[in-house]
Amino acid sequence: MRVGVITFPGSLDDRDAQRAIRLAGAEPVALWHGEHDLKKVDAIVLPGGFSYGDYLRCGAIASHSPIMAEVVDAANKGMPVLGICNGFQMLVEAHLLPGGLIRNDHGRFVRRDQMIRVENNRTDWTNKFDESEEIVIPLKNGEGGYIADKATLDRLEGDGLVTFRYLGVNPNGSLNDIAGISNERGNVVGLMPHPEHAVERGFGPNTADAMRSGIDGLRIFTSMIAKVLA
Amino acid sequence: MSRHVADTVANAAATPEKEQPFAALGLKPDEYARIREILGRRPTSGELAMYSVMWSEHCSYKSSKIYLRQFGQKVTDKMRERLMVGMGENAGVVDIGEGWAVTFKVESHNHPSYIEPFQGAATGVGGIVRDIISMGARPVAVMDQLRFGAIDHPDTARVVHGVVGGISFYGNCLGLPNIGGETVFDAVYQGNPLVNALAVGVLRHEDLHLANASGVGNKVVLFGARTGGDGIGGASILASDSFDSTGPTKRPAVQVGDPFAEKVLIECCLELYAGGLVEGIQDLGAAGISCATSELASNGDGGMFVELDNVLLRDPTLTAEEILMSESQERMMAVVKPEKLEAFLAVVAKWDVETSVLGEVTDTGRLIIHHGGEEIVNVDPRTVAIDGPVYERPVAYPAWIDALQANSASALPRATEGDELREQFLALVASPNLADTSYITDQYDYYVGGNTALAFPDDAGMIRVDEESGLGFAIATDANGRYCQLDPYEGARLALAEAFRNVSMTGAVPAAVTDCLNFGSPENPEVMWQFMRSVEGLGDACMELEIPVTGGNVSFYNQTGDQPIHPTPVVGVLGIIDDVERRVPSAWQDEGNNIYLLGVTRTELDGSAWAGTIHGHLGGRPPQLSLNDEKALAHLVQGAALEGLLMSAHDLSEGGLAQALAESVARFGIGARVWLNDIIERDGMDLTSALFSESTARAIVTVPREDDVKFVGLCEARGYPVLRIGVTDGRDYEATLHVQDVFTVPVAEIRERSNATLPHYFA
């Protein structure tokens, strides 16, 4: 079971995503943005960071990287693809997911332990969660405000494509409190919070149980493994 | 447009009488005369540019050198045990065991951060991170020590927004967790804020790199961002009347940062190191190419030839002098063997980093630079980089200090009634320097890397280095400018003691020290006395604690008009922990644990947060310090942590016991019942002192009830004073801090007061 993590110039959480995949029980495979080789992986993670310094628009330049042609192709054939933060922005720029992400409404970068609700547990990346399960995942972004036109929002809500929703605090002004969405097939998921930072006790978000003990993010990766092995 | 023609060596020899703008470049007449003596002729304009920046206070340490030597002299064999690289290199390197080493350093970027707060602070982070990379290490954490003017002054918000935004922008974009730091507001920093930046890197022992150019015929390569006209200190003079007036003029003296370029540079350098493609490396910071070429050559075989036309420029109109002085960011200079050049260029190309070969290492003993086919620099590089001027500045005992020390806080009225003490308690909790700093720290990413075991507001930040063994380091910095104003010798010792204590509270064992010494003008004899005393204090205290200073930075001229800042020697202590799993956090997470106060409380309110906040008073003598007690406390906490007896440990410092209690309850909303009568009875004092005194070598720890006997036994066996002063009790909306017979405050109210202060001024 091989899961690719693509490193772009300016990727930051690529090694963290690799660790999360390893802890979930799969083999992480480092992929390079400038190549056209997916190295026979079974799933792909686009990690967080500031690819190309967020120049032009977040994720815009990376979405034109050579390897993205293969990613789009594989996604359209049903391979599980996860975009985290900057990776979510790339998926939107590559038109694998609808809408867009803009500067946080308060104008500042924000880092917090964020409560979110799993709205759809039927995607390739959420099948290990209960429906409406409330989880804590670290969030850190400057441009995480999800936007889409009304027709798109209605379709996302109507078709159950909102995968994760912010609870308690909307940290960036996202419409409908949207934290993450999927495509109709459920193999492509993008979210602003960082599940790879909630996979190991001692290094995750604070929970009611103990500080830094949250590992809710791990199930995003084990969900994908279960799907691939099914 | 006519091309600027550089002043050649031949021209300089032929026109000895030509007037040169040395004074405008910051050189004194005797320094200029010394340069002429060294060269046996007048310097070319390019040489003058190089000497002027390299002999500046910032680069040459000419006023501080004679004092800084003590850090290398006041050392014992034990202090050398872990030291792989000491002072003088880009950053010190410490052996932390298991084949791992840590390199760390703190540096100032004060003046740029006042002129242009966002870029000033951003490039401060960038500069210190390049120092870490050039040692061969992967940067793994940053933290910042910030001093701003009065929180309610109209200009403070401008500086705070810019500085915090710049640190957030640059640090987050580099993917470096920000794990701690300091934020202090005081009117003495109004016209001269302090922005110190600290970075830590980790490396395997065999990956250590040093900045030297050895091996005749090896190539000198400049890579990274292109060279532009930013950050040229005195270049406006060089580029104006004295020279060709058609060139660029009045360039901004503040550099502009591009964190994306730096992130790519980090990964590119690490790949170059992994491939063994670099013989020597140096980052370009202050004084740019002048510094990198002269330092690399001085530390290597002594000679270098450089073709300045090969420097890739952002602006083709830059003159040779400007190219030599430019402080454009995100650049590195490497020394590469000719047979490895192709492989080197392939790695650099993979990362889309621009590169040019500038020249090569020679054994001539001269640094020779050509531009436009002519020789414009021909110097002994050691005269530029190493043998700069050294001053023994006049020192004078400040006449005002006796009166200041005589004005003790002991004469201030002290409250005895519960209501008034409650109000003072909350006033301190809400005061700018003790209030919650989430407004700032929420803008920093501490998750990236996945190895952050502790971060603000814990007493120290902690990073796991080895995922298998759990080996890690803890780091904390401190400086109390108010104490240093009262007594710079004791103030520096107290700064070290507090950082040492903070690191020890996590269970880590302190191993090394870095410092950033922020002072007023060295030309003021009273400031020079403060500096001398602080360095003596720090050196003596390091010797007593047996941890070496491994590197740091001096920042002078921090003043507005004639008014210097309080002496602010920021001291960083790095500790080692065998397994971060055993770390001890500072706040309370569970009900039903016993709360113990370790150490003795004396009536020590001089220079305290209580005196400052409640009475607007600064006077007297800072608290007594026994470094033996500090060591004993550290050993006790480390021992108890090793046995797993501690649920939390929090040092007592600014605001005393009261503030430590407030922070402990507010963090996770766990209440407490506390009694003060045992402290008052044993140590003999009043309620105000029990709550707000800032006596040293103290901490509060929480211990599960089942471990009580063991813990108290441990304290008694070590002879360390211990008192049970309360129990943690109640959580969430039911949580209160109940100080028996004095006052009760709901934890929600403490949080509200603490959390409101910074947003009120800045949100």
Side-chain angles (χ1 to χ4, degrees):
Chain A
M1 169 91 228
R2 292 159 59 82
V3 181
V5 177
I6 304 175
T7 297
F8 299 84
S11 288
L12 303 180
D13 303 294
D14 44 345
R15 299 195 306 158
D16 303 64
Q18 290 173 14
R19 181 192 293 114
I21 289 161
R22 199 177 68 239
L23 292 172
E27 180 196 346
V29 178
L31 302 177
W32 179 243
H33 80 111
E35 296 172 353
H36 283 282
D37 185 0
L38 292 183
K39 297 187 179 170
K40 299 193 168 65
V41 295
D42 302 296
I44 294 168
V45 175
L46 304 181
F50 291 75
S51 60
Y52 293 98
D54 277 355
Y55 296 142
L56 190 56
R57 281 187 314 277
C58 302
I61 302 175
S63 72
H64 292 281
S65 274
I67 205 167
M68 285 305 286
E70 280 69 31
V71 172
V72 171
D73 199 38
N76 288 334
K77 287 177 183 157
M79 184 185 283
V81 175
L82 180 71
I84 303 168
C85 196
N86 194 217
F88 184 15
Q89 293 160 341
M90 291 175 207
L91 291 177
V92 167
E93 290 288 341
H95 303 295
L96 285 170
L97 293 173
L101 292 143
I102 59 168
R103 178 154 288 277
N104 298 345
D105 56 354
H106 47 75
R108 295 187 302 276
F109 184 96
V110 60
R111 187 258 320 130
R112 68 192 310 272
D113 295 349
Q114 179 69 44
M115 179 87 82
I116 58 176
R117 186 166 58 223
V118 181
E119 297 282 24
N120 176 354
N121 66 345
R122 298 173 305 282
T123 77
D124 292 1
W125 298 89
T126 54
N127 58 60
K128 291 276 184 188
F129 293 96
D130 295 334
E131 194 170 327
S132 300
E133 188 174 340
E134 296 179 359
I135 60 177
V136 180
I137 304 285
L139 172 116
K140 43 175 207 176
N141 65 64
E143 306 196 21
Y146 183 78
I147 52 159
D149 57 35
K150 186 169 184 309
T152 305
L153 281 177
D154 288 347
R155 186 171 65 81
L156 288 173
E157 296 288 358
D159 294 351
L161 302 182
V162 175
T163 317
F164 303 102
R165 212 185 293 275
Y166 296 119
L167 283 182
V169 172
N170 180 335
N172 44 31
S174 290
L175 296 179
N176 293 20
D177 298 332
I178 288 173
I181 57 173
S182 76
N183 63 355
E184 277 163 22
R185 197 166 174 172
N187 65 311
V188 178
V189 170
L191 78 166
M192 284 316 292
H194 286 256
E196 80 282 16
H197 291 317
V199 295
E200 194 180 7
R201 269 187 80 85
F203 303 91
N206 295 336
T207 68
D209 173 37
M211 66 186 284
R212 294 181 188 275
S213 65
I215 56 166
D216 290 335
L218 198 57
R219 278 183 287 160
I220 295 205
F221 300 95
T222 55
S223 293
M224 168 271 298
I225 293 173
K227 167 68 186 178
V228 171
L229 294 179
Chain B
M1 190 173 69
S2 68
R3 178 157 169 73
H4 171 80
V5 179
D7 190 18
T8 64
V9 171
N11 189 35
T15 57
E17 301 313 319
K18 180 181 163 69
E19 282 204 20
Q20 297 193 278
F22 66 87
L25 287 168
L27 287 167
K28 299 281 188 286
D30 57 327
E31 291 172 343
Y32 178 66
R34 171 96 185 100
I35 295 167
R36 292 187 70 122
E37 190 190 326
I38 287 169
L39 295 173
R41 56 173 165 78
R42 74 161 175 88
T44 65
S45 56
E47 288 165 345
L48 185 65
M50 289 181 82
Y51 279 105
S52 72
V53 284
M54 290 301 289
W55 285 16
S56 69
E57 187 65 59
H58 185 79
C59 291
S60 72
Y61 294 88
K62 57 190 170 189
S63 303
S64 56
K65 231 178 208 171
I66 59 166
Y67 299 105
L68 299 177
R69 284 180 190 139
Q70 336 176 23
F71 293 141
Q73 290 157 353
K74 291 177 179 172
V75 284
T76 62
D77 286 343
K78 182 168 184 286
M79 290 162 77
R80 286 192 198 94
E81 265 171 24
R82 290 186 175 277
L83 197 59
M84 292 173 66
V85 174
M87 293 200 357
E89 285 288 342
N90 283 309
V93 181
V94 180
D95 175 9
I96 63 164
E98 300 177 23
W100 287 104
V102 167
T103 177
F104 74 125
K105 188 178 171 187
V106 59
E107 214 167 60
S108 63
H109 226 222
N110 302 339
H111 294 134
S113 301
Y114 181 59
I115 298 166
E116 215 303 306
F118 186 93
Q119 291 296 345
T123 54
V125 177
I128 192 68
V129 166
R130 282 194 305 283
D131 275 337
I132 297 303
I133 310 171
S134 44
M135 299 309 292
R138 172 177 280 281
V140 294
V142 293
M143 48 209 282
D144 292 273
Q145 298 71 36
L146 310 177
R147 301 291 184 281
F148 299 113
I151 198 167
D152 54 357
H153 188 284
D155 188 47
T156 299
R158 170 189 74 92
V159 181
V160 169
H161 283 301
V163 166
V164 173
I167 292 168
S168 166
F169 162 73
Y170 206 103
N172 292 340
C173 206
L174 283 187
L176 295 179
N178 191 319
I179 59 171
E182 306 161 49
T183 307
V184 172
F185 298 91
D186 192 311
V188 297
Y189 304 106
Q190 198 66 56
N192 198 122
L194 302 183
V195 175
N196 294 179
L198 178 146
V200 194
V202 301
L203 64 156
R204 299 295 298 172
H205 285 185
E206 60 271 21
D207 291 336
L208 182 63
H209 278 77
L210 297 178
N212 59 55
S214 300
V216 173
N218 284 346
K219 299 296 177 191
V220 176
V221 187
L222 182 65
F223 64 113
R226 285 185 170 232
T227 299
D230 54 329
I232 297 175
S236 53
I237 298 109
L238 273 176
S240 57
D241 294 344
S242 313
F243 299 102
D244 185 341
S245 59
T246 59
T249 55
K250 294 286 176 193
R251 295 292 180 169
V254 181
Q255 315 88 324
V256 178
D258 176 1
F260 169 63
E262 178 122 328
K263 168 64 181 170
V264 169
L265 205 53
I266 294 174
E267 300 301 330
C268 177
C269 284
L270 291 170
E271 194 167 330
L272 290 170
Y273 300 154
L277 301 175
V278 170
E279 304 309 308
I281 191 152
Q282 168 80 304
D283 68 302
L284 275 74
I289 293 176
S290 295
C291 178
T293 52
S294 61
E295 285 194 353
L296 278 168
S298 299
N299 297 335
D301 290 348
M304 187 184 284
F305 173 77
V306 167
E307 195 80 67
L308 208 57
D309 304 84
N310 291 354
V311 175
L312 299 175
L313 300 178
R314 219 179 282 162
D315 173 353
T317 66
L318 289 184
T319 65
E321 298 83 5
E322 287 173 317
I323 297 168
L324 286 169
M325 293 173 83
S326 164
E327 295 185 2
S328 288
Q329 299 289 291
E330 294 95 22
R331 297 181 299 163
M332 301 286 280
M333 187 173 281
V335 176
V336 182
K337 284 188 176 163
E339 62 270 27
K340 291 183 177 173
L341 188 60
E342 198 178 331
F344 178 98
L345 295 174
V347 170
V348 175
K350 176 191 162 187
W351 288 99
D352 291 324
V353 169
E354 290 196 295
T355 316
S356 62
V357 178
L358 295 192
E360 58 185 47
V361 178
T362 67
D363 57 3
T364 59
R366 309 293 290 179
L367 170 60
I368 295 173
I369 299 179
H370 280 196
H371 189 244
E374 308 238 41
E375 184 178 81
I376 60 158
V377 172
N378 185 336
V379 296
D380 174 351
R382 293 185 58 87
T383 64
V384 179
I386 296 173
D387 303 325
V390 176
Y391 291 138
E392 194 169 348
R393 301 263 191 204
V395 166
Y397 180 80
W400 45 264
I401 209 163
D402 290 336
L404 185 69
Q405 289 181 346
N407 178 21
S408 168
S410 58
L412 299 172
R414 291 184 222 168
T416 51
E417 297 304 315
D419 285 351
E420 198 182 345
L421 285 163
R422 187 183 193 276
E423 271 320 299
Q424 293 191 352
F425 168 76
L426 287 170
L428 277 169
V429 161
S431 65
N433 295 336
L434 297 178
D436 180 85
T437 56
S438 298
Y439 174 79
I440 290 173
T441 55
D442 282 355
Q443 300 181 47
Y444 302 152
D445 177 5
Y446 64 57
Y447 276 110
V448 66
N451 288 313
T452 306
L454 291 174
F456 41 75
D458 277 298
D459 283 1
M462 186 183 287
I463 296 284
R464 175 176 62 179
V465 172
D466 189 304
E467 286 192 40
E468 295 295 316
S469 68
L471 174 71
F473 66 81
I475 187 159
T477 66
D478 281 290
N480 186 320
R482 286 164 54 85
Y483 289 169
C484 293
Q485 181 74 358
L486 299 180
D487 184 337
Y489 180 86
E490 286 301 325
R493 280 160 45 88
L494 284 158
L496 175 67
E498 193 183 338
F500 178 91
R501 200 183 316 131
N502 278 324
V503 165
S504 304
M505 288 302 115
T506 67
V509 180
V513 175
T514 183
D515 58 48
C516 189
L517 308 171
N518 305 277
F519 287 78
S521 167
E523 294 162 42
N524 175 343
E526 293 184 347
V527 168
M528 217 48 226
W529 179 84
Q530 291 175 319
F531 180 79
M532 176 187 81
R533 293 296 290 159
S534 288
V535 173
E536 284 170 2
L538 185 56
D540 289 348
C542 283
M543 182 98 161
E544 235 181 297
L545 291 173
E546 294 200 278
I547 46 174
V549 175
T550 63
N553 173 238
V554 177
S555 174
F556 279 128
Y557 299 101
N558 293 293
Q559 53 186 46
T560 311
D562 291 337
Q563 194 55 47
I565 60 164
H566 288 166
T568 313
V570 166
V571 181
V573 170
L574 182 128
I576 302 166
I577 184 162
D578 294 340
D579 186 355
V580 298
E581 183 92 358
R582 277 204 303 271
R583 72 199 188 282
V584 181
S586 67
W588 303 336
Q589 302 180 62
D590 301 288
E591 299 173 72
N593 292 326
N594 281 324
I595 305 166
Y596 287 93
L597 173 67
L598 301 173
V600 174
T601 307
R602 291 173 288 265
T603 296
E604 293 181 299
L605 295 164
D606 290 354
S608 68
W610 174 82
T613 300
I614 307 299
H615 298 283
H617 179 271
L618 176 61
R621 308 292 299 247
Q624 294 179 37
L625 178 63
S626 156
L627 291 170
N628 273 333
D629 289 352
E630 295 287 357
K631 273 197 272 193
L633 175 66
H635 289 155
L636 173 61
V637 170
Q638 287 148 9
L642 204 59
E643 292 190 42
L645 303 177
L646 302 180
M647 300 303 289
S648 71
H650 192 8
D651 93 303
L652 267 55
S653 53
E654 281 102 332
L657 176 62
Q659 179 64 18
L661 291 171
E663 289 168 359
S664 298
V665 295
R667 177 92 176 271
F668 297 112
I670 301 291
R673 280 182 289 124
V674 174
W675 46 89
L676 302 177
N677 44 327
D678 292 342
I679 308 173
I680 289 172
E681 197 174 310
R682 187 192 66 184
D683 297 343
M685 68 184 54
D686 64 319
L687 277 170
T688 294
S689 302
L691 284 167
F692 303 119
S693 175
E694 298 184 2
S695 298
T696 56
R698 294 186 305 158
I700 48 172
V701 299
T702 52
V703 178
R705 284 192 170 134
E706 60 269 26
D707 290 324
D708 259 359
V709 175
K710 219 171 162 184
F711 176 73
V712 174
L714 190 69
C715 296
E716 282 168 358
R718 290 167 181 261
Y720 209 79
V722 60
L723 270 184
R724 190 165 82 94
I725 60 162
V727 59
T728 61
D729 183 28
R731 62 165 65 230
D732 301 329
Y733 60 89
E734 289 175 341
T736 60
L737 175 60
H738 178 59
V739 183
Q740 266 177 28
D741 306 324
V742 188
F743 58 72
T744 298
V745 189
V747 172
E749 190 178 351
I750 296 174
R751 282 178 155 181
E752 202 181 297
R753 293 290 297 268
S754 176
N755 295 348
T757 304
L758 266 62
H760 173 74
Y761 289 101
F762 306 122

